[in-house]
Amino acid sequence: MFQIKAPYLLFLGDAPDQLAAKTARGINDWRPENVVGQYRLDGCQADLGITDMNLTAAKAAGAKTLVLGTANRGGVLSENWRGILRDALEMGFDIANGLHNRVATDPEFSALAKKLGRKIFDVRHADAPMPIGTGEKRQGKRLLAVGTDCSCGKMYTALAIEKEMKSRTMNATFRATGQTGILIAGSGVSVDAVIADFMAGAVEVICPANEDANHWDIIEGQGSLGHPSFSGVTTALIHGGQPDALVLCHEPTRTHMRGLPHQPLPSIDDIMQTALWLAHVVNKDARFVGLSVNTSQMDKADVAGYLASLEDQYGLPAVDPFAHGASKIVDAL
Amino acid sequence: MFQIKAPYLLFLGDAPDQLAAKTARGINDWRPENVVGQYRLDGCQADLGITDMNLTAAKAAGAKTLVLGTANRGGVLSENWRGILRDALEMGFDIANGLHNRVATDPEFSALAKKLGRKIFDVRHADAPMPIGTGEKRQGKRLLAVGTDCSCGKMYTALAIEKEMKSRTMNATFRATGQTGILIAGSGVSVDAVIADFMAGAVEVICPANEDANHWDIIEGQGSLGHPSFSGVTTALIHGGQPDALVLCHEPTRTHMRGLPHQPLPSIDDIMQTALWLAHVVNKDARFVGLSVNTSQMDKADVAGYLASLEDQYGLPAVDPFAHGASKIVDAL
């Protein structure tokens, strides 16, 4: 499992727009205490509104890891970027790479990191063999976000719940299962990059038995049971995650599954019923504790009524954690 | 996807007992027309009851591929075995390897195969990048075996249904998703060896659109929705397989999930309901067409009554295809 040293210098490179830097933005939004500054090249159109720094300034500010938190143009590492990565390793930085391109196995960087004793984390890929999952009961409590679709707010929901729990001095840990989450948490495994036989085992490694029986692991969900491309990963997360509590994440304005124009959305009821049956295979006490609704695309006038109707229908709190925080969900635990 | 040339010489090596040669036995049981003989070493305790041949005799009989169809002692390739593999490549054989140990990436065999133009298939591993699944409707019909547990007869059921269909001159193809199935079929992908993001896509590659709208792909199932270690693979098979017809496979004497003494068996009803919901995500017409019961561990006096009670309960044919063939299931299609 990746273990990345904070604090970070966030490399935005020559990001063509704000959206291209959304991974870096997520890190800065959720773990500002782990960020010393941003490193932007000429032409960069993204700006996190934090201090601009080069490698020397960031080193002086205590940064331990250079984070590639933006997409690179054309999908290849330019010579310009390569020079910066080389300098970073020489100056004592580890590198955490959120790109699809691997850096750790690049012959030059691999040799340089080995010579210098630095670490390179390709967080979109799996870094180590994982065990086969067992489903054996583990101490501690776990909460998992499941969704009616991909990219409907599962990571955001988990982070908001962790934040709310910590504000109440509950013992809670966000557990990352995808690249942005790993860069935010500083550890985790990209479950979708693991070999199929070992997916559930990887999730068990991510949220292991906790010595505090009241500790909550808040597990980032992936995919959807109703998404034909990635439903197997979702199933492995439910069985490996062994959740006590499930939160249903939903984006009400979608007209089809993300990336699949031919694929209709599943109903909230169906996802809840199927997820709950799967969860009961490994934890008879699993239950839904709330609905998390991404209302960003809704007409603002409709939001309150829609959330109230969900609360009425399911007898559970329904909130948009971005707009309202996650306190109603944590209350329901 | 692996494409292995028949006919085969089945290498039993020094198998310590009949069970160690069960992969070779499966090939010979289901595709005897693809087998020229067996190759046994001194001390081999397995015997398929077919002609013993060395490499020279098998070559003369037309064999194109040497199949490693038994487990090797101690999990390493002995020098004795290595010499035989070397000879086989030199004599013009491809190698299909059902062991966990890789042969294709062994430096010596890799170089030799490349020099000689031979192919080596490590069928427990994935050989090529796979696409991400889409769930788009494909022409042709598909049947998938799903189970209440692992190793309860899903491959056998699929092969028996294919055999019955072919005996009726229906257009049908067994589609292999695991190592033994691949060696039997001569093609396929070990879905559990694929990276998680690409599992459903791999299944779509295995059972692609068919130009004959009445053609049946009979897809080998894997794992179980109720098995915490491998349920994600099962989910990907349902979504990638896009089945029109599902067959429920069950072994009624199990007291816990295979390999997991703490894990109770799911009910037939729950597996059918959950599998059907998942299948409907990609195919609204999916339905169960029968139950396939592995009665080998049952008291023989109880079998007929048990099958009759299942037929009564589910309104579907219930058969042990090993004992009774699969004709009642094919009738129900």
Side-chain angles (χ1 to χ4, degrees), chain A residues 228, chain B residues 132-136 138 199-209 239-241:
Chain B
I132 287 176
T134 69
E136 280 178 49
R138 310 194 289 285
M199 292 183 293
V203 180
E204 292 182 359
V205 168
I206 292 168
C207 50
H239 279 167

Side-chain angles (χ1 to χ4, degrees), chain B residues 160-182:
Chain B
I161 290 171
E162 184 209 36
K163 185 176 180 180
E164 174 66 24
M165 286 180 159
K166 287 192 162 170
S167 78
R168 302 183 186 194
T169 68
M170 293 169 72
N171 196 357
T173 311
F174 169 72
R175 298 299 191 181
T177 62
Q179 66 269 10
T180 302
I182 293 168

Side-chain angles (χ1 to χ4, degrees), chain A residues 53-74:
Chain A
M53 290 185 180
N54 61 10
L55 293 171
T56 308
K59 189 74 192 166
K64 294 195 166 63
T65 300
L66 179 71
V67 173
L68 307 191
T70 182
N72 49 337
R73 294 189 189 184

Side-chain angles (χ1 to χ4, degrees), chain A residues 166-180:
Chain A
K166 287 190 163 172
S167 79
R168 302 184 186 195
T169 68
M170 293 169 72
N171 196 357
T173 311
F174 169 72
R175 298 298 192 182
T177 62
Q179 66 270 10
T180 302

Side-chain angles (χ1 to χ4, degrees), chain B residues 88-170:
Chain B
L89 291 170
E90 297 277 7
M91 290 169 67
F93 289 87
D94 288 344
I95 293 172
N97 168 32
L99 308 177
H100 278 291
N101 308 60
R102 288 178 193 261
V103 173
T105 56
D106 178 286
E108 179 188 7
F109 298 128
S110 164
L112 190 59
K114 190 173 175 189
K115 185 181 112 186
L116 298 168
R118 311 285 181 252
K119 291 194 169 143
I120 304 177
F121 305 96
D122 289 332
V123 300
R124 283 180 188 260
H125 301 274
D127 68 333
M130 288 287 158
I132 287 176
T134 69
E136 280 178 49
K137 191 82 181 100
R138 310 194 289 285
Q139 181 162 291
K141 296 178 189 296
R142 287 163 198 85
L143 181 149
L144 174 66
V146 297
T148 50
D149 196 2
C150 300
S151 304
C152 65
K154 291 184 289 292
M155 184 187 81
Y156 196 102
T157 299
L159 284 160
I161 290 171
E162 184 209 36
K163 185 176 180 180
E164 174 66 24
M165 286 180 159
K166 287 192 162 170
S167 78
R168 302 183 186 194
T169 68
M170 293 169 72

